[in-house]
Amino acid sequence: MSTTADPLAALGALPGVADSVDSVRKAVDRVYGHRIMRRRSNEITSEAALRGARGSAALSGADWALEEVRRRSDFSGDGEARTIGAALRLTAEAGQLLSIWRQSPLRVLARLHLVAAAENDEAAGRPRLAGEPVDEPLVELDAPDSDEVAGRLEGLSRLIIAGGSAPALVTAAVVHGELLSLRPFGSHNGLVARAAERIVLVGSGLDPKSVCPAEAGHGEQGRAAYVGALDGYASGTPEGMAAWIAHCGRAVELGARESTAVCEAMQRGAA
């Protein structure tokens, strides 16, 4: 990241990023301007949460059909079922942490990991220690050591608390990319990173009703595109960073498109 006084704002000035920001804003506005949103926004929010959780879980290796996720009530079985359950819990929890995020993002991240792990694990809710392994098979980047993780988490926390003029998309993309690159926890880092992205998008006011699930958009773009874009972020080059932000922007657009389709279906059913 840039070392300027407002590095997130500097990323917003990268070539092509303004176009992504504008495209995302238009996509979000289309959903919020739909007539169904005026009467049934809570239903759209609930459906978006389900679809977002399904998309996030798919990227973590549990690619279940939406109706199967909707139908199931017990997610305590095999590894895929537990991943789906973790994604659903995180989606529900994220909305409860918005007021804490700007004051104590590290506390929120710890809570997210604790919720995702949901098991008797002494490492749940804390960053990994020196020598502890990382279970995140989707990401093949070398995992930074615990000292680097601690330093970069602290730097990310300071950026969030300080705020700034960067667009919400840029901040959300950096939070997501930094957490997934660092993999600060021993497990569930992808799920936590995508939940944190959701918190930024909602808490910033870009998507206050949480009806544009970026997680669904990330899932729709596929694991290969996701990993490729993350490699760009991890490279630290302007081109790579811009490509990652654009990828995250496209995910928000696709999430908005899903909710627009849900609105249209509800409108047809009410006709």
Side-chain angles (χ1 to χ4, degrees):
M1 279 186 285
S2 169
T3 58
T4 60
D6 191 347
L8 296 180
L11 292 177
L14 290 174
V17 170
D19 291 338
S20 294
V21 170
D22 185 56
S23 185
V24 164
R25 168 47 66 191
K26 289 177 180 176
V28 173
D29 285 348
R30 279 194 292 273
V31 180
Y32 279 82
H34 199 286
R35 60 184 297 184
I36 289 293
M37 280 291 293
R38 292 195 292 272
R39 296 181 286 112
R40 302 174 67 179
S41 64
N42 288 342
E43 294 174 69
I44 304 300
T45 296
S46 295
E47 184 65 18
L50 186 71
R51 292 171 184 241
R54 194 216 72 83
S56 189
L59 288 173
S60 288
D63 192 1
W64 288 17
L66 180 63
E67 292 310 312
E68 177 65 8
V69 178
R70 195 192 307 279
R71 181 186 69 82
R72 289 281 287 268
S73 58
D74 181 7
F75 298 98
S76 61
D78 60 16
E80 288 194 6
R82 290 195 297 272
T83 296
I84 295 285
L88 289 167
R89 290 192 301 273
L90 282 175
T91 300
E93 187 72 13
Q96 309 302 313
L97 298 172
L98 295 171
S99 63
I100 306 172
W101 175 255
R102 284 296 297 273
Q103 286 75 42
S104 184
L106 298 185
R107 179 181 163 196
V108 169
L109 293 175
R111 175 61 185 170
L112 290 174
H113 186 251
L114 190 64
V115 167
E119 56 194 32
N120 187 21
D121 178 359
E122 65 179 17
R126 65 156 174 80
R128 53 189 168 84
L129 303 177
E132 289 185 336
V134 178
D135 180 16
E136 195 66 48
L138 177 64
V139 181
E140 297 181 355
L141 298 167
D142 290 339
D145 64 31
S146 58
D147 287 341
E148 182 178 349
V149 167
R152 286 172 62 178
L153 280 179
E154 186 59 38
L156 182 65
S157 177
R158 287 196 298 269
L159 282 176
I160 294 165
I161 293 170
S165 60
L169 171 63
V170 173
T171 303
V174 167
V175 167
H176 184 171
E178 192 72 355
L179 291 174
L180 201 53
S181 297
L182 289 177
R183 282 146 293 159
F185 303 105
S187 63
H188 300 94
N189 289 286
L191 294 175
V192 168
R194 292 184 288 275
E197 179 185 48
R198 169 185 285 267
I199 288 173
V200 175
L201 293 171
V202 174
S204 67
L206 176 64
D207 180 22
K209 294 183 182 294
S210 195
V211 296
C212 302
E215 308 98 313
H218 286 301
E220 185 173 340
Q221 291 180 90
R223 298 180 80 180
Y226 185 69
V227 171
L230 178 65
D231 286 346
Y233 177 88
S235 75
T237 65
E239 296 80 9
M241 299 290 280
W244 170 250
I245 294 168
H247 182 86
C248 292
R250 181 59 178 158
V252 178
E253 291 180 54
L254 290 171
R257 188 177 70 180
E258 285 224 10
S259 287
T260 300
V262 171
C263 287
E264 293 293 332
M266 286 184 174
Q267 184 167 282
R268 288 193 299 272

